[in-house]
Structures are given as C-alpha cells and as structure tokens.
Amino acid sequence: MTDLSHPIFARLYPRLDAASARAGGDALRAELLAGTSGRVLEVGAGYGANFAHYPPEVTEVVAVEPEPRLRAKAEGMAARAPVPVTVRPGLAEELDLDDGSFDVAVASLVLCSVRDPVRVLAELRRVLKPGGELRYYEHIKGSTPGKVRFQRWADAVWPLLAAGCHVSRPTDRWIAASGFTVRAERRFEFPASGLNPASPHVIGVAVRD
Ligand SMILES: C[S@@+](CC[C@H](N)C(=O)[O-])C[C@H]1O[C@@H](n2cnc3c(N)ncnc32)[C@H](O)[C@@H]1O
C-alpha cells in the first residue's frame, strides 16, 4: 500500500504554501536547489512546489508522492517544469529504486511528516551515488527550552491537523547521524516572528559518505 489519503490537507496545503512562498518560501526553495545537477530524487513532493526551481543542469527529477490528490496536482506542475519531471506513487521508507542511482536527493518539509524519518534517510542514502548530495529544507526542534516545551504541546494535536506533520523532530541531528557529512547548513526562524511551533528551520547540503 503506497497511497496515503489526506483530502483536506491536500486541498489546503497548496493555498497555505502559496502564502508562505510570498513570505520568503520561494526564495528558500530556490536556495535549496541552487547548483543541483544530474539525476534527482525528490521524496514527498506534495503538489510540486519545488519543480519550478530546478536548474537546467538537472537532467531528470523522479518525484515520489503517496497522496493521490497532491500527486495529481504535482503532475500538472511537472508538465510546466523547466526540467523533465516524472511523478510516481510511493513511500519514502520503501523506495522502489536502484542503489546508487541518483546524484541528488531532495527532502523539503517532508521528514516532519513521514512515519519513519530515520528509515527514510537510510533509503535516501541507499539510492544516492557515493558522493551524492542530500539537499534538505525542514522545520526542526527548537533550540530554547520554551520553544521545545511549546512544540511538545503542539505535537499532541499538530499531526492530526497537518497530515502527520510533527514539529518537534530533531531532523538536523538525524541527518548528521545517518551516514552523511554535512557540507553546509543554516538554521533560521521562518516566519521570523509570531507564535508558530514550526518556525525553527534548517536548510543544508549533506554528502553521502
Ligand atoms: C508538508 S508536505 C511537503 C510537500 C513538499 N515536499 C513541499 O516542499 O511542499 C509533506 C508531504 O510529505 C508527504 N508524505 C507523507 N508521508 C510520506 C511518506 N511516508 N513518504 C513520502 N512522502 C510522504 C505528504 O503526502 C506530503 O506531500
């Protein structure tokens, strides 16, 4: 079973993300993908918000998305993308893809939502070529005791409202512990102000050891 059904989230997410794009999310997606080239795997691609940002040096994007309504929207975005994008169903925990077959793997706002992020990282490592890059843009566990407490409370309901998304995951630490060497990483608040448990973010590049 590779489909996940989240009809309300699938309807709302593109609208919420459009607002976030205007507030700086688009620039972050461009930063995430700048300098990528060759064959790229994107897991949990959603409605395809990243597709417009792939540079021309990318020869192919394989985009895996398990939610059928989001996948249908992603197919529309793929048709308008500047590089060839193939959208397919699947869970990031069990990729039906060959070992060492990608130059780049992309995880954007997805390791918060998958059931088993450590297993997903192992799968991404498996399908990357040695020296291949993991590009990541994720919201993460906060760095102050107050934020961490707030996130712990939020995580009692957040996953129910946001299709399994958790706000308190230390995804940056899991990446560094999963057979990748972090080459560049930046932590920041997005949005920069306001009461949002998902505001601590990280964007970075890690290389498959
Ligand atoms: C917050 S959305 C982010 C979508 C997209 N990556 C983006 O940057 O806009 C999280 C996505 O992860 C997908 N997802 C959830 N569990 C997954 C899994 N086990 N494997 C792959 N994708 C998953 C959801 O269907 C959804 O599209």
Side-chain angles (χ1 to χ4, degrees), residues 141-142 144-156 167-168 197:
K141 186 172 177 175
T144 63
K147 192 74 172 198
V148 170
R149 260 197 314 277
F150 179 33
Q151 289 181 323
R152 211 176 295 135
W153 280 102
D155 262 351
V167 293
S168 62

Side-chain angles (χ1 to χ4, degrees), residues 44-198:
Y47 72 101
N50 284 324
F51 297 169
H53 298 284
Y54 281 105
E57 291 76 16
V58 167
T59 53
E60 181 190 6
V61 178
V62 175
V64 173
E65 172 50 52
E67 211 294 328
R69 295 159 196 86
L70 287 171
R71 196 163 62 237
K73 291 180 205 278
E75 275 159 7
M77 296 290 261
R80 298 192 291 281
V83 300
V85 180
T86 310
V87 181
R88 49 192 278 179
L91 294 173
E93 287 89 344
E94 43 199 60
L95 296 168
D96 181 18
L97 297 164
D98 291 339
D99 294 2
S101 54
F102 288 89
D103 300 290
V104 178
V106 174
S108 89
L109 307 176
V110 66
L111 293 170
C112 53
S113 299
V114 300
R115 190 161 296 168
D116 188 342
V118 171
R119 184 159 157 205
V120 170
L121 287 166
E123 274 293 84
L124 296 181
R125 187 177 182 282
R126 179 183 67 76
V127 301
L128 276 172
K129 296 175 183 169
E133 288 182 350
L134 172 63
R135 297 288 185 118
Y136 52 99
Y137 161 43
E138 295 284 344
H139 61 80
I140 54 172
K141 186 172 177 175
S143 55
T144 63
K147 192 74 172 198
V148 170
R149 260 197 314 277
F150 179 33
Q151 289 181 323
R152 211 176 295 135
W153 280 102
D155 262 351
V157 290
W158 199 269
L160 302 172
L161 302 173
C165 170
H166 298 73
V167 293
S168 62
R169 290 186 172 174
T171 300
D172 46 346
R173 275 194 258 141
W174 289 338
I175 289 170
S178 294
F180 292 97
T181 299
V182 175
R183 202 171 68 199
E185 196 175 65
R186 182 166 74 79
R187 289 181 185 70
F188 57 99
E189 293 286 317
F190 180 60
S193 60
L195 198 63
N196 185 334

